[in-house]
Amino acid sequence: MTALEFTHHIGKVSKSLRPFALRLTKDVEDANDLLQDTLLKAFTNRDKYTDGTNLKAWLYTIMKNTFITNYQRMVRKNTFIDTTDNLHYINTMDSSTDNGAYSTFAQEDISRAVNSLDETYRTPFMMHFRGFKYHEIAAKLDIPIGTVKNRIHIARKELKDKLKVYAYYAA
């Protein structure tokens, strides 16, 4: 199979991979990244694919394994290993307490930032935040879907600027 034929076959099958990626990641941007990683791995390893095998199953396997690898990498990165002699358990939450005041301040700042957005950006952003799809927002507000995406993007950008003090804590 030539590279062009392989790319054509992958293009037809890749539409069915997006819902699977969304189910795994539960986030649109992460799902798009996972899909892109999967297609890149499939294309770079196309010599390992044999004609007659189920291409769709092969791609699903690559996606599942990529997701698991990325998840394990993230968990490993966020795990602390205590190397002290007295062997305290850093990762246990048994003896920790949360300061509710900080989250209250953060919530108030977020609400203030969202409310300070111009109405044309706040309405589509809040609808998207509440779970509406782009096409549903476009129909409800009677505006093109591209305008909806643009307004949500601008709202996110403004909120990111207004709430950059919290960027350290989110990472």
Side-chain angles (χ1 to χ4, degrees):
M1 181 182 299
T2 66
L4 187 61
E5 290 174 330
F6 187 78
T7 305
H8 176 72
H9 289 299
I10 282 184
K12 289 195 305 191
V13 176
S14 68
K15 290 173 184 63
S16 66
L17 291 172
R18 186 173 309 279
F20 183 59
L22 277 168
R23 254 191 320 256
L24 289 173
T25 62
K26 302 193 180 12
D27 180 61
V28 176
E29 284 84 16
D30 289 345
N32 288 335
D33 289 343
L34 179 61
L35 180 62
Q36 187 175 8
D37 287 346
T38 301
L39 296 178
L40 179 66
K41 285 182 181 181
F43 192 75
T44 55
N45 293 302
R46 70 180 182 273
D47 55 335
K48 295 178 183 160
Y49 176 75
T50 53
D51 284 334
T53 359
N54 186 346
L55 179 64
K56 194 174 184 181
W58 189 65
L59 290 170
Y60 273 83
T61 302
I62 292 173
M63 181 174 281
K64 179 186 62 123
N65 291 341
T66 303
F67 173 76
I68 291 170
T69 302
N70 290 343
Y71 179 78
Q72 289 170 338
R73 189 176 294 138
M74 181 192 65
V75 167
R76 229 177 294 124
K77 186 179 87 174
N78 292 331
T79 301
F80 296 104
I81 299 174
D82 189 8
T83 58
T84 59
D85 292 334
N86 55 5
L87 300 176
H88 287 280
Y89 295 106
I90 293 178
N91 288 329
T92 61
M93 298 299 286
D94 296 338
S95 62
S96 67
T97 58
D98 285 338
N99 183 351
Y102 175 77
S103 62
T104 303
F105 287 130
Q107 186 61 43
E108 288 172 0
D109 287 348
I110 292 168
S111 296
R112 208 173 301 117
V114 169
N115 290 333
S116 73
L117 289 173
D118 188 77
E119 183 65 29
T120 56
Y121 303 120
R122 182 175 57 238
T123 301
F125 175 78
M126 289 307 295
M127 290 176 75
H128 183 67
F129 177 74
R130 290 186 182 114
F132 286 89
K133 307 285 185 222
Y134 290 132
H135 67 277
E136 294 171 330
I137 298 169
K140 183 104 169 150
L141 299 178
D142 196 28
I143 56 176
I145 195 165
T147 305
V148 169
K149 290 178 180 181
N150 185 44
R151 289 181 181 176
I152 291 170
H153 172 75
I154 290 171
R156 284 180 175 166
K157 207 164 105 174
E158 284 186 26
L159 289 172
K160 187 177 176 183
D161 288 342
K162 291 177 183 183
L163 299 169
K164 62 183 161 195
V165 69
Y166 296 105
Y168 172 77
Y169 300 105

